[in-house]
Amino acid sequence: MIAKRAILAVACAGAAVALMSGCSQATEAPAAVPTTAAPDAVPATGASDAATTLGTRETALGTVLTDGDGFTLYRFDEDTADLVRCVGPCAEIWPPTPGTPLPHPDAVLPGTVGTTTRPDGVEQATYDGHPLYRFAKDTAPGLTSGDGVKGTWHVVTVDAAHG
């Protein structure tokens, strides 16, 4: 019985390490389609199903970008405007923000919203060319616990420097 528990504990620990390491190392991926700016006009009826609403929220870290549910959005230092590097296990901890971003009517966003195509072909929202993500451990709107994780994850701030 004790041996089974020890084996299970070691297996779980190994799985946790493997899962977390997926976010700290670059993952080889085919080149993504370049980021494109979102259209200025609101999309036609039906297109909004694929849209992601972006807003802002005041936090201890300043004004941060949020999704339509009020959850803080993050950027990953290893991503570029042309290449999404958070895939596989990394994207389970840092779920990508899908769809075409549209600012909430009350949000003032000085940066550029757009999209990029992930290696799996799914459109991902961007802000100033940075692909956007939520953090799975942020369990409520307004939390910013993902900021600084592994030194490569940061909240997306919305101010004069916006980002």
Side-chain angles (χ1 to χ4, degrees):
M1 182 72 164
I2 293 174
K4 287 182 182 179
R5 285 185 183 169
I7 292 170
L8 183 58
V10 169
C12 288
V17 168
L19 187 61
M20 291 304 292
S21 68
C23 292
S24 66
Q25 298 176 2
T27 305
E28 288 186 36
V33 175
T35 302
T36 56
D40 292 334
V42 175
T45 304
S48 63
D49 293 341
T52 297
T53 302
L54 299 180
T56 61
R57 178 181 286 265
E58 292 299 322
T59 71
L61 299 174
T63 305
V64 299
L65 191 66
T66 62
D67 64 12
D69 295 324
F71 283 84
T72 302
L73 295 175
Y74 297 85
R75 63 181 174 82
F76 182 41
D77 285 347
E78 294 184 24
D79 282 345
T80 67
D82 298 325
L83 182 64
V84 173
R85 300 188 64 90
C86 179
V87 296
C90 179
E92 292 176 22
I93 296 170
W94 299 93
T97 304
T100 303
L102 295 173
H104 186 277
D106 296 335
V108 176
L109 301 179
T112 304
V113 297
T115 61
T116 192
T117 303
R118 296 180 53 76
D120 61 6
V122 174
E123 290 293 309
Q124 183 171 355
T126 63
Y127 186 73
D128 278 349
H130 298 285
L132 301 173
Y133 302 86
R134 280 174 58 167
F135 182 44
K137 292 184 179 181
D138 281 352
T139 57
L143 295 179
T144 58
S145 58
D147 189 56
V149 169
K150 298 204 180 247
T152 58
W153 289 94
H154 310 282
V155 297
V156 177
T157 56
V158 180
D159 56 19
H162 53 269

